[in-house]
Amino acid sequence: MSLHGKRKEIYKYEAPWTVYAMNWSVRPDKRFRLALGSFVEEYNNKVQIVGLEEESSEFVCRNTFDHPYPTTKIMWIPDTKGVYPDLLATSGDYLRIWRVSDTETRLECLLNNNKNSDFCAPLTSFDWNEVDPNLLGTSSIDTTCTIWGLETGQVLGRVNLVSGHVKTQLIAHDKEVYDIAFSRAGGGRDMFASVGADGSVRMFDLRHLEHSTIIYEDPQHHPLLRLCWNKQDPNYLATMAMDGMEVVILDVRVPCTPVARLNNHRACVNGIAWAPHSSCHICTAVADDHQALIWDIQQMPRAIEDPILAYTAEGEINNVQWASTQPDWIGICYNNCLEILRV
């Protein structure tokens, strides 16, 4: 089904609350389906699943469910062939795995990495392994990263089909860990990196967890909030510091020396998304100047002066996500709005 001919460049959805976490579904039969998490400063929060009705060109809310605390991240199972159950993961106080159907969303399992106490250290982020969707990694303010194994066996009858267990837990940083992401290097299953309040980017290999590699340290030791691997070239990753106005591009083959700095923003960057289909395009988003910028970094290591595309939203952008299976589309959220932009 093609939207060409009557397809708009921008579609907008207004949620009943401020939108923070947001992500695209990757299932081939669920184009233009996204999950949105509310940001309400209290215990009771929500997640909505919305879809674009391709006939009417309007977004429709398919499902709303309750979520304790705001979701720090939301992600659909990276299952482009549709062979696994239709699962959604959220992080907050715990990692939760939800099963999505056309009529309802049901909690399948709640994964608590602190088995020996009732206290839980909030999860700042997580990543779902694209090569092996039975692996997820979470990052926490308690300085650890936890790698989870998921069992999604198909069982006849109504049995809780999805369960999870801790495969490994490691102290990843000296301070809080703010983000974790699996790398596509070396087969794409065992390598991951993390960033945190100690201002470092560290790389780990699940086969050799006794040591890690520091890829980069912020010169002022500012906390690093996000990291994002290039989707086509596993040598490159991007990171950004708290209250920093630039995005730093790193090459793991040349540790500790950025190969590029994207610093055209007039305010702090708070979102990064690499293009799924190109190794040299990256989108950065900024709250205060309301802008999402797309950069071409082909010139590296020569300085990259200006973005090739700029979009100004009507509010402070909280999140940006480039659709992995529909590379013409980027989602941004600001205030209570989700917009998808054709690029």
Side-chain angles (χ1 to χ4, degrees), residues 14 50 57 65 83 88 91-93 98 138 148 169 181 199 204 208 224 259 269 272 291 298:
E14 294 189 26
V50 301
S57 298
F65 59 95
V83 293
L88 181 70
S91 54
D93 49 349
W98 310 81
T138 54
W148 296 90
Q169 187 171 40
F204 300 86
H208 311 287
L224 298 176
V259 283
V269 181
I272 326 170
Q291 283 200 317
Q298 247 169 324

Side-chain angles (χ1 to χ4, degrees), residues 40-56:
V40 183
E41 291 189 24
E42 54 186 61
Y43 180 78
N44 296 320
N45 272 261
K46 302 280 186 193
V47 172
Q48 276 192 348
I49 293 165
V50 301
L52 187 68
E53 288 286 352
E54 303 204 17
E55 287 303 306
S56 64

Side-chain angles (χ1 to χ4, degrees), residues 23-34 75-82 86-87 130 322-326:
N23 228 316
W24 295 82
S25 170
V26 301
R27 280 175 80 100
D29 57 338
K30 303 286 186 191
R31 287 160 37 95
F32 297 107
R33 179 177 69 162
L34 297 98
M75 207 175 170
W76 297 86
I77 185 167
D79 173 23
T80 50
K81 297 187 173 65
D86 198 4
L87 301 178
E130 288 182 15
W322 205 317
S324 60
T325 52
Q326 291 154 254

Side-chain angles (χ1 to χ4, degrees), residues 232-248:
Q232 294 293 328
D233 186 337
N235 290 312
Y236 293 109
L237 70 150
T239 186
M240 60 191 211
M242 186 182 282
D243 301 329
M245 293 192 197
E246 63 178 15
V247 169
V248 175

Side-chain angles (χ1 to χ4, degrees), residues 5 106 339:
R106 193 178 69 232
E339 283 186 347

Side-chain angles (χ1 to χ4, degrees), residues 311-327:
Y311 176 74
T312 304
E314 292 165 20
E316 299 191 352
I317 299 175
N318 294 328
N319 202 330
V320 55
Q321 297 287 338
W322 205 317
S324 60
T325 52
Q326 291 154 254

Side-chain angles (χ1 to χ4, degrees), residues 6-240:
K6 58 172 185 165
R7 188 183 253 181
K8 296 191 294 190
E9 302 298 309
I10 300 174
Y11 295 91
K12 184 174 179 178
Y13 173 74
E14 294 189 26
W17 20 253
T18 302
V19 181
Y20 174 67
M22 170 264 295
N23 228 316
W24 295 82
S25 170
V26 301
R27 280 175 80 100
D29 57 338
K30 303 286 186 191
R31 287 160 37 95
F32 297 107
R33 179 177 69 162
L34 297 98
L36 312 174
S38 68
F39 186 81
V40 183
E41 291 189 24
E42 54 186 61
Y43 180 78
N44 296 320
N45 272 261
K46 302 280 186 193
V47 172
Q48 276 192 348
I49 293 165
V50 301
L52 187 68
E53 288 286 352
E54 303 204 17
E55 287 303 306
S56 64
S57 298
E58 296 291 329
F59 266 112
V60 176
C61 175
R62 305 242 189 269
N63 209 313
T64 303
F65 59 95
D66 293 326
H67 194 282
Y69 303 107
T71 52
T72 51
K73 189 169 179 182
I74 207 160
M75 207 175 170
W76 297 86
I77 185 167
D79 173 23
T80 50
K81 297 187 173 65
V83 293
Y84 288 86
D86 198 4
L87 301 178
L88 181 70
T90 58
S91 54
D93 49 349
Y94 301 107
L95 179 66
R96 289 176 173 83
I97 310 291
W98 310 81
R99 179 184 298 251
V100 180
S101 72
D102 291 339
T103 51
E104 60 162 3
T105 302
R106 193 178 69 232
L107 181 64
E108 284 283 308
C109 58
L110 179 149
L111 302 175
N112 172 11
N113 61 2
N114 200 341
K115 284 285 176 272
N116 48 14
S117 91
D118 296 336
F119 170 76
C120 63
L123 301 178
T124 48
S125 186
F126 73 96
D127 193 26
W128 207 323
N129 191 297
E130 288 182 15
V131 172
D132 181 356
N134 293 308
L135 283 181
L136 294 97
T138 54
S139 57
S140 170
I141 63 168
D142 68 4
T143 75
T144 66
C145 288
T146 305
I147 304 298
W148 296 90
L150 211 60
E151 289 80 40
T152 55
Q154 296 291 357
V155 183
L156 291 171
R158 173 67 197 100
V159 186
N160 208 19
L161 307 183
V162 180
S163 59
H165 66 278
V166 173
K167 284 181 89 74
T168 185
Q169 187 171 40
L170 59 143
I171 294 173
H173 287 260
D174 307 329
K175 295 180 178 174
E176 297 93 332
V177 191
Y178 289 139
D179 203 4
I180 180 173
F182 287 104
S183 158
R184 291 192 177 186
R189 188 183 178 278
D190 296 296
M191 317 276 282
F192 66 93
S194 60
V195 292
D198 59 8
S200 68
V201 181
R202 301 188 186 207
M203 193 150 175
F204 300 86
D205 185 329
L206 288 173
R207 296 158 298 194
H208 311 287
L209 281 174
E210 58 280 0
H211 58 93
S212 64
T213 310
I214 294 183
I215 302 174
Y216 175 71
E217 289 186 285
D218 183 83
Q220 278 81 43
H221 302 291
H222 290 154
L224 298 176
L225 295 185
R226 290 277 167 268
L227 86 151
C228 212
W229 287 99
N230 186 307
K231 299 284 191 235
Q232 294 293 328
D233 186 337
N235 290 312
Y236 293 109
L237 70 150
T239 186
M240 60 191 211

